[in-house]
């Protein structure tokens, strides 16, 4: 704000008024939330507010607009009316916006060069151009917002492990720069300020140097003496800390390695060795070995051995010194002129060191006789004293001949074999002093690979000589691979992913080298979708397995070694495919149809619903339930038996459609449904119902002039049953009147007609007892109705007629079955001898017709169509629902009272 004040009260104010341009500086911390006030342009530019404008002459309102919404515009919100500048929802991150480079603060591709007018050389500036309108106050305002750094970043080392090497002879106060200093994106005091060591071991400390650009570099300072031979490495943690409040820290592992210098020389543990040597020792006899130690490493610790110049040449010629190992051996034969005492001064030489000195005193004891000699002649393959024999060589395989003799030929020499193993040394006759070394049983490489035996020869004076022989057994391919399990039992869930891992086979072969390398192969009985890695023995399956297709797999695998000829062994693999609930219950039919006779007793078995589930165990358990009609029907879950709780009446409902759901026991459960159609077969349980005449007391006037063959009236009846049970026949079973044979009834239609002309003496009341019978099986049902016909010209006395009707008629019943034939016949059956046959044939025909009719009803219900028979003489169809069609309703009963 002081800068703002100087801006407007100083000479710059005059310049701004002249140029109509102004600069404003603001500053704020990074990371502030949205809505924080940065500054008010109207107030800081001393522009008149709305209140001042209201008191003065009316002026257009002020308007503030960002001239360009560059990268800086996304971080601020400018109120167009008040000119207040606030932070936006986009959080300002100074480290992401600004990167110090060549003295310029760079953000978003724009640069504001640091100058004396900017807050500081470390400023990160947002540049905004704001236009102030209207014309009376027009100006371009350059707004610079300095983003202040906050301590929101901890120091971080570029590598997690820092290695530093210090020579062990480094003097105190030696300074070594740590090449990977910590980095902190924050600036100023929020950047890295100090470094420290968590453990300095009393010999190290840290110092920090700052260069001209302000970068701080840590230096390791040696505070004490170092000795690599005492400790060759120090591991500690270097911690960098910034100057924020509170301070943030970062760390890395610092490993300080102490490099070796040649500060140690060879040293012998002893200053003198005393050695005794027999004068009869053979050439190459080991005399002694000297050994010096240098505590340094690498080339600094290399030691060579040499004779001192004080050692005389005869001693040098007699004893050979290996300059690398320090081994001393006898290199010349000892004779009578050889001195008996030798003083060997040996030097241990190291690079840049004074040699270490050791003295070896060798005393030679003169021997008057020579020891026995053992001369081998090898039969088996021998290289440098090692005999090579194949395993499984037969018994008594010869190895070598040994000649045992006394060089002086004065003493008797004996020999024997010393050592363990299947070997035997025996005299080889008929020669003297010849011995044969041979095997006593087959060798086994897997039991023991190397034998060391000695042929010992001694004479009668007690002198003896040992000849050491090493026998190396060569491996042969005599072992087959052995599986860890002969029966490998595996299991895997069905629907596995392709190339699923099954197991890793393991077989071992006791042979060595290539003979013991095992390869794995599938047997010829293995399915093609199983694969076995030849080298690793990993068994996989390349496809998905389906338990319902195959639950068990059994095949062989082979393990074959690489010997010649190869040997193999066989194991058996059994794989059990475990079930998953991947199959829904399945009905044997999608639609089930059952034919049930009506009046079937409650809880009787209607039918069995067969359902299967290919899964196993609980996944294959199936529970059945009725989705609809459960108040009438019930199903046995275990057996699938469908039952009705109550007796069913076809006349109330002729068919039922149920949906049965089958749910398995899996988790989650799977289900399926099936459609069940129940068709009720008709039973002759309803007698014909006479609709006309309506009463036995009704009558009809028949005029005497009625011509023969004329229809008089009709009997109309219906039957609620169906099929043959609803086929109705009409017959007159009783008559009374002056001449009752004058009327006849059609057995099919129930029409009553006049047969003969009526005479004068035929006047009067005729009463016809009509039997209406169905063709039900096994027992037809019938109803009767009295048809009253009054033959007269007029009805003059109704009460008289009614009185006659009220009297009980004396009518004899004529039991005569109505005849309905498919083919009309005009011949009368005059013989009663055919009646039993006709009755039997009728029963058979009725049964066949009932069966055909039931099947026809089922087909009609399945196809949803109704067929009407063309020949109405064969059968009378009655609607199943018991309703009377329109043409039936037109046949109204005759009202007697209107006659």
């Amino acid at each position: 704000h002081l800068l703002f004040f100087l801006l407007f009260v100083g000479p710059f104010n005059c310049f701004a008024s002249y140029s109509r341009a102004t600069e404003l500086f603001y500053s704020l911390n990074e990371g502030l939330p949205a809505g924080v006030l940065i500054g008010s342009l109207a107030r800081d530019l001393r522009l008149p507010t709305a209140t001042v404008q209201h008191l003065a002459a009316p002026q257009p309102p002020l308007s503030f607009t960002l001239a360009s919404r560059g990268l800086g515009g996304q971080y601020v919100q400018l109120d167009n009316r008040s000119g207040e500048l606030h932070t936006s929802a986009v959080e300002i991150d100074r480290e992401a916006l600004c990167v110090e480079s060549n003295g310029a603060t760079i953000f978003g591709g724009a640069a504001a060069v640091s100058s004396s007018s900017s807050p500081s050389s470390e400023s990160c500036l947002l540049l905004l151009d704001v236009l102030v309108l209207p014309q009376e106050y027009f100006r371009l305002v350059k707004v610079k917002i300095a983003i202040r750094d906050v301590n929101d970043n901890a120091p971080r080392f570029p590598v997690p492990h820092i290695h530093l090497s210090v020579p062990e002879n480094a003097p105190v106060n030696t300074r070594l720069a740590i090449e990977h200093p910590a980095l902190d994106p924050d600036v100023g005091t929020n950047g890295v300020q100090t470094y420290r060591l968590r453990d300095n071991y009393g010999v190290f400390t840290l110092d920090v140097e700052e260069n001209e650009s302000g970068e701080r570099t840590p230096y390791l300072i040696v505070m004490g003496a170092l000795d690599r031979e005492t400790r060759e490495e120090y591991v500690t943690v270097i911690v960098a800390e910034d100057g924020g409040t509170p301070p943030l820290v970062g760390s890395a592992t610092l490993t300080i390695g102490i490099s070796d210098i040649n500060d140690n020389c060879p040293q012998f543990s002893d200053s003198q060795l005393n050695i005794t040597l027999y004068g009869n020792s053979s050439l190459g006899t080991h005399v002694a070995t000297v050994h010096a130690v240098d505590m340094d490493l690498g080339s600094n610790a290399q030691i060579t051995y040499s004779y001192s110049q004080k050692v005389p040449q005869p001693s040098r010629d007699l004893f050979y010194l290996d300059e690398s190992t320090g081994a001393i051996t006898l290199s010349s034969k000892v004779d009578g002129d050889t001195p008996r005492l030798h003083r060997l001064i040996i030097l241990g030489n190291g690079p840049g060191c004074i040699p270490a000195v050791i003295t070896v005193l060798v005393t030679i004891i003169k021997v008057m006789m020579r020891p026995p000699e053992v001369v081998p002649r090898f039969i088996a393959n021998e290289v440098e004293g090692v005999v090579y024999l194949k395993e499984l060589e037969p018994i008594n395989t010869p190895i070598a001949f040994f000649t045992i003799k006394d060089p002086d030929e004065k003493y008797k020499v004996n020999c024997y074999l010393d050592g363990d193993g299947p070997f035997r040394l025996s005299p080889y006759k008929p020669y003297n002093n010849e011995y044969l070394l041979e095997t006593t049983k087959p060798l086994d490489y897997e039991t023991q690979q190397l034998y060391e035996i000695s042929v010992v020869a001694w004479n009668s004076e007690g002198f003896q000589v040992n000849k050491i022989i090493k026998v190396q057994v060569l491996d042969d391919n005599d072992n087959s691979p052995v599986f860890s399990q002969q029966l490998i039992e595996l299991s895997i869930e069905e629907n596995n992913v392709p190339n699923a891992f099954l197991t890793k086979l393991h077989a071992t072969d006791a042979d060595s080298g290539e003979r013991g390398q095992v390869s794995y192969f599938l047997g010829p009985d293995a399915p093609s979708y199983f694969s076995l890695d030849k080298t690793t023995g990993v068994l996989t399956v390349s496809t998905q397995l389906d338990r319902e297709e195959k639950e068990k797999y059994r095949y062989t695998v082979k393990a074959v070694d690489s010997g010649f000829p190869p040997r193999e062994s066989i194991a058996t693999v059994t794989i059990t495919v475990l079930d998953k609930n991947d199959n829904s219950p399945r009905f044997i039919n999608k639609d089930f149809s059952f034919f049930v006779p009506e009046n079937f007793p409650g809880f009787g078995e209607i039918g069995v619903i067969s359902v299967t589930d290919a899964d196993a165990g609980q996944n294959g358990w199936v529970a059945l339930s009725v989705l609809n009609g459960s108040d009438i029907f019930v199903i046995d879950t275990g057996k699938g038996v469908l039952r009705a709780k109550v007796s069913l009446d076809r006349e109330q409902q002729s068919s039922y459609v149920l949906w049965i759901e089958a749910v398995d026991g899996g988790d989650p459960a799977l289900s399926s449904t099936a459609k069940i159609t129940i068709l009720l077969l008709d039973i002759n349980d309803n007698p014909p119902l006479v609709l006309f005449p309506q009463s036995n007391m009704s009558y009809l006037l028949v005029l005497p002039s009625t011509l023969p063959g004329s229809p008089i009236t009709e009997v109309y009846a219906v039957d609620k049953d169906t099929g043959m049970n609803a086929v109705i026949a009409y017959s007159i079973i009783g008559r009374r009147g002056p001449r009752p044979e004058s009327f006849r009834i059609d057995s099919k239609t129930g029409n009553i007609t006049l047969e003969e002309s009526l005479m004068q003496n035929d006047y009067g009341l005729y009463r016809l007892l009509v039997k209406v019978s169905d063709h039900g099986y096994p027992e037809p049902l019938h109803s009767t109705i009295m048809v009253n016909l009054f033959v007269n010209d007029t009805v003059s006395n109704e009460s008289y007629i009614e009185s006659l009707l009220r009297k009980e008629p004396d009518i004899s019943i004529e039991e005569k079955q109505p005849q309905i034939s498919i083919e009309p016949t005009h011949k009368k059956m005059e013989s009663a001898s055919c009646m039993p046959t006709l009755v039997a044939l009728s029963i058979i025909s009725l049964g066949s017709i009932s069966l055909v009719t039931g099947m026809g009803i089922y087909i009609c219900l399945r196809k949803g169509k109704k067929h009407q028979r063309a020949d109405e003489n064969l059968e009378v169809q009655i609607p199943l629902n018991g309703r009377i069609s329109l043409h039936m309703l037109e046949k109204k009963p005759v009202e007697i009272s209107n006659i």
Side-chain angles (χ1 to χ4, degrees):
H1 289 88
L2 177 60
L3 182 61
F4 172 78
F5 175 76
L6 294 175
L7 178 66
F8 284 94
V9 300
F12 186 78
N13 188 22
C14 299
F15 174 77
S17 299
Y18 174 78
S19 64
R20 309 296 288 173
T22 309
E23 283 190 354
L24 292 178
F25 286 94
Y26 297 102
S27 63
L28 75 159
N29 291 341
E30 63 174 325
L32 293 178
V36 175
L37 177 64
I38 300 173
S40 174
L41 301 184
R43 183 187 68 232
D44 296 338
L45 293 174
R46 297 184 181 180
L47 296 176
T49 61
T51 304
V52 176
Q53 288 182 341
H54 177 71
L55 296 177
Q59 296 291 337
L62 289 173
S63 174
F64 299 87
T65 307
L66 289 175
S68 175
R69 294 192 64 87
L71 293 177
Q74 63 179 323
Y75 299 103
V76 296
Q77 290 288 342
L78 177 61
D79 190 306
N80 295 337
R81 293 299 180 188
S82 66
E84 290 186 347
L85 201 59
H86 296 84
T87 57
S88 69
V90 180
E91 184 179 295
I92 299 176
D93 184 1
R94 184 186 184 282
E95 290 73 35
L97 286 175
C98 302
V99 178
E100 296 294 336
S101 176
N102 298 326
T105 303
I106 302 172
F107 65 95
V113 179
S114 301
S115 64
S116 59
S117 61
S118 60
S120 71
S121 61
E122 294 182 352
S123 292
C124 174
L125 299 180
L126 290 180
L127 303 181
L128 304 175
D129 291 340
V130 180
L131 295 177
V132 182
L133 296 174
Q135 185 65 31
E136 291 80 357
Y137 303 99
F138 171 75
R139 66 185 66 191
L140 175 64
V141 181
K142 296 284 187 178
V143 179
K144 295 182 179 180
I145 304 174
I147 308 303
R148 292 193 298 265
D149 182 48
V150 298
N151 192 28
D152 56 347
N153 292 279
R156 184 177 62 85
F157 285 91
V159 293
H161 294 87
I162 302 173
H163 296 271
L164 193 64
S165 179
V166 181
E168 63 177 328
N169 63 343
V172 176
N173 294 327
T174 299
R175 300 171 64 87
L176 300 170
I178 297 177
E179 297 181 355
H180 300 284
L183 304 176
D184 193 329
D186 296 325
V187 296
T189 58
N190 292 331
V192 178
Q193 298 296 316
T194 61
Y195 291 87
R196 68 176 185 270
L197 295 176
R198 287 188 182 173
D199 188 356
N200 57 20
Y201 297 98
V203 292
F204 300 105
T205 187
L206 288 180
D207 189 18
V208 179
E209 290 185 4
E210 184 175 353
N211 59 17
E212 296 178 356
S213 61
E215 295 180 353
R216 295 174 180 265
T217 302
Y219 282 81
L220 181 71
I221 301 176
V222 179
M223 300 299 294
L226 302 176
D227 185 5
R228 189 207 62 80
E229 289 72 32
T230 303
R231 183 163 188 170
E232 62 183 2
E233 185 179 76
Y234 297 86
V235 179
T236 184
V237 175
I238 181 172
V239 179
E241 183 176 311
D242 62 23
T245 304
L248 302 177
V249 298
S251 62
T253 301
L254 177 62
T255 300
I256 305 170
I258 309 302
S259 59
D260 184 53
I261 64 170
N262 191 23
D263 58 345
N264 290 278
C265 290
Q267 291 182 353
F268 288 105
S269 58
D270 298 317
S271 60
Q272 181 174 311
L273 291 179
N274 296 318
I275 304 298
T276 300
L277 181 67
Y278 288 102
N280 61 352
S281 297
S282 60
L283 298 179
T285 300
H286 179 264
V287 178
T289 299
V290 295
H291 179 68
V293 177
D294 192 324
M295 298 300 293
D296 292 326
L297 291 177
S299 60
N300 294 331
Q302 289 183 354
I303 302 175
T304 59
Y305 302 93
S306 63
Y307 284 126
S308 171
Q309 296 294 330
K310 298 179 180 181
V311 177
Q313 190 62 40
S315 297
R316 294 170 181 256
D317 296 338
L318 184 61
F319 300 102
Y320 170 74
L321 174 63
D322 190 306
E323 65 177 8
S324 298
T325 63
I328 303 172
T329 56
L330 183 64
S331 59
S332 297
K333 189 174 181 181
V334 178
D335 54 23
D337 298 331
T338 303
R340 296 292 176 255
L341 180 64
H342 296 267
R343 186 182 186 89
L344 305 178
I345 301 174
I346 299 175
L347 306 178
N349 305 296
C353 291
I354 298 175
V357 179
I358 187 172
T359 301
V360 179
L361 292 177
V362 181
T363 301
I364 299 178
I365 300 175
K366 185 177 180 180
V367 178
M368 298 306 295
M369 64 178 66
R370 290 182 291 176
E373 293 182 354
V374 178
V375 180
R377 289 169 293 168
F378 292 99
I379 302 172
N381 184 26
E382 179 267 340
V383 178
E384 296 182 357
V386 180
V387 178
Y388 295 91
L389 290 178
K390 289 184 179 181
E391 65 174 334
L392 303 181
E393 288 281 2
I395 301 176
N396 301 326
T397 297
I399 299 175
F401 278 113
F402 289 90
T403 302
I404 309 299
K405 63 181 180 178
D406 181 15
D408 300 325
E409 298 181 353
K410 296 179 179 180
Y411 305 97
K412 180 180 179 181
V413 180
N414 296 314
C415 71
Y416 65 92
L417 186 64
D418 184 25
D420 296 330
F423 305 101
R424 177 177 57 210
L425 183 66
S426 57
Y428 190 74
K429 296 180 180 181
Y431 303 103
N432 295 325
N433 299 329
E434 296 287 344
Y435 293 85
L436 176 64
L437 178 64
E438 59 186 353
T439 61
T440 58
K441 65 179 181 179
L443 303 177
D444 187 1
Y445 175 87
E446 288 71 36
T447 302
Q448 187 169 345
Q449 294 87 36
L450 182 66
Y451 296 89
E452 186 172 311
I453 55 179
S454 297
V455 176
V456 181
W458 83 97
N459 60 19
S460 57
E461 296 298 323
F463 285 95
Q464 67 178 23
V465 175
N466 293 343
K467 183 63 177 180
I468 299 175
I469 300 173
K470 294 181 180 180
V471 178
Q472 177 68 53
V473 182
L474 301 178
D475 187 29
D476 200 356
N477 193 30
D478 59 337
N479 291 277
S480 299
V482 178
F483 280 100
S484 57
Q485 293 176 282
Q486 287 299 314
L487 178 61
I488 305 166
E489 297 178 322
L490 308 173
S491 63
I492 184 174
E493 279 194 343
E494 63 176 331
N495 304 330
N496 55 281
V497 297
N499 299 318
F501 173 83
L502 293 175
T503 189
K504 183 176 182 181
L505 303 181
H506 181 66
T508 56
D509 193 316
D511 294 323
S512 63
E514 292 185 354
R515 292 172 291 273
Q517 294 179 0
V518 179
S519 300
Y520 302 90
F521 301 93
L522 291 173
D525 54 345
S528 60
Y529 39 84
F530 289 95
S531 59
L532 180 60
D533 190 280
K534 175 182 177 181
T535 304
T536 63
V538 173
L539 180 64
T540 57
V541 56
S542 61
T543 186
Q544 284 190 346
L545 300 180
D546 187 358
R547 189 204 63 84
E548 289 73 36
E549 180 179 340
K550 190 171 183 180
E551 184 177 5
K552 296 280 188 179
Y553 293 88
R554 185 182 181 94
Y555 53 86
T556 57
V557 291
K558 295 191 300 182
V560 182
D561 62 23
S562 300
F564 183 80
R567 302 174 69 97
E568 66 180 40
S569 61
I570 296 176
T572 301
V573 175
T574 63
I575 302 175
T576 302
V577 183
L578 303 179
D579 184 55
K580 291 181 70 175
N581 192 28
D582 58 343
N583 290 277
S584 301
R586 183 177 180 181
F587 292 91
I588 60 172
N589 295 316
K590 293 184 178 179
D591 296 335
F592 290 84
S593 297
F594 296 106
F595 295 90
V596 181
E598 65 173 330
N599 302 330
F600 194 69
F603 292 97
E605 181 178 326
I606 295 176
V608 177
I609 310 299
S610 297
V611 61
T612 61
D613 193 314
D615 293 322
Q618 186 173 347
N619 295 331
W621 296 350
V622 179
L624 298 173
S625 61
V626 181
L627 296 180
N628 63 325
S630 58
D631 54 339
I632 300 176
F633 297 95
V634 66
I635 191 167
D636 187 337
T637 296
K639 299 180 179 179
V641 177
L642 181 64
R643 306 176 189 273
K645 299 178 182 178
V646 297
S647 180
L648 305 178
D649 187 358
R650 190 202 65 79
E651 285 71 38
Q652 293 183 3
Q653 186 170 340
S654 60
S655 65
Y656 296 87
V657 176
L658 304 178
W659 290 96
I660 303 297
E661 181 183 38
V663 181
D664 63 23
D667 184 18
L670 301 178
S671 64
S672 60
T673 57
K675 180 181 178 182
I676 311 297
T677 302
I678 301 173
L679 301 173
L680 297 182
L681 300 178
D682 185 49
I683 294 180
N684 193 26
D685 57 346
N686 292 281
L689 175 63
V690 179
L691 301 180
F692 185 84
Q694 294 180 343
S695 171
N696 288 333
M697 300 300 292
S698 62
Y699 63 94
L700 181 67
L701 176 64
V702 180
L703 298 178
S705 60
T706 304
L707 296 177
S710 299
I712 303 301
T713 185
E714 72 172 342
V715 177
Y716 180 69
V718 295
D719 196 316
K720 293 182 179 180
D721 296 321
T722 186
M724 295 303 296
N725 294 332
V727 176
I728 298 175
Y730 303 88
S731 63
I732 299 174
I733 62 174
R735 305 168 184 265
R736 186 172 181 179
R739 190 155 57 93
E741 292 82 3
S742 301
F743 299 95
R744 67 176 294 275
I745 188 168
D746 189 296
S747 62
K748 298 178 182 179
T749 64
N751 292 332
I752 298 176
T753 57
L754 181 63
E755 287 289 302
E756 301 174 354
S757 301
L758 298 173
M759 303 300 179
Q760 186 68 32
N761 56 354
D762 293 336
Y763 286 38
L765 181 63
Y766 288 79
R767 307 195 74 176
L768 305 177
L769 181 60
V770 177
K771 180 179 180 181
V772 184
S773 176
D774 60 24
H775 283 63
Y777 177 83
E779 184 67 30
L781 303 178
H782 68 275
S783 301
T784 58
I785 189 67
M786 187 69 73
V787 178
N788 300 305
L789 303 176
F790 185 62
V791 179
N792 201 3
D793 293 325
T794 60
V795 179
S796 58
N797 190 352
E798 291 184 7
S799 60
Y800 170 71
I801 297 175
E802 293 176 358
S803 65
L804 294 176
L805 294 174
R806 281 193 292 271
K807 293 180 180 180
E808 187 71 26
D810 185 11
I811 299 176
S812 60
I813 304 301
E814 303 173 5
E815 286 297 336
K816 182 178 180 182
Q817 294 294 335
Q819 299 295 325
I820 298 180
S821 353
I822 296 177
E823 295 293 334
T825 179
H826 300 287
K827 296 182 180 180
K828 295 185 179 179
M829 304 297 295
E830 301 196 5
S831 176
S833 62
C834 294
M835 288 302 294
T837 303
L838 291 176
V839 171
L841 291 175
S842 298
I843 293 173
I844 295 173
S845 299
L846 288 174
S848 300
I849 293 172
S850 299
L851 178 60
V852 173
T853 303
M855 294 179 65
I857 294 172
Y858 169 69
I859 295 173
C860 291
L861 291 175
R862 291 284 290 176
K863 295 183 177 180
K865 298 180 180 180
K866 294 182 179 180
H867 299 281
Q868 182 177 1
R869 298 199 182 269
D871 190 357
E872 295 181 355
N873 293 330
L874 296 178
E875 165 176 282
V876 179
Q877 293 290 343
I878 304 300
L880 298 179
N881 55 11
R883 297 180 181 177
I884 302 174
S885 60
L886 294 176
H887 75 276
M888 294 180 180
L889 296 175
E890 292 175 2
K891 299 178 182 181
K892 298 180 180 178
V894 179
E895 294 292 332
I896 303 301
S897 60
N898 295 334
I899 298 177

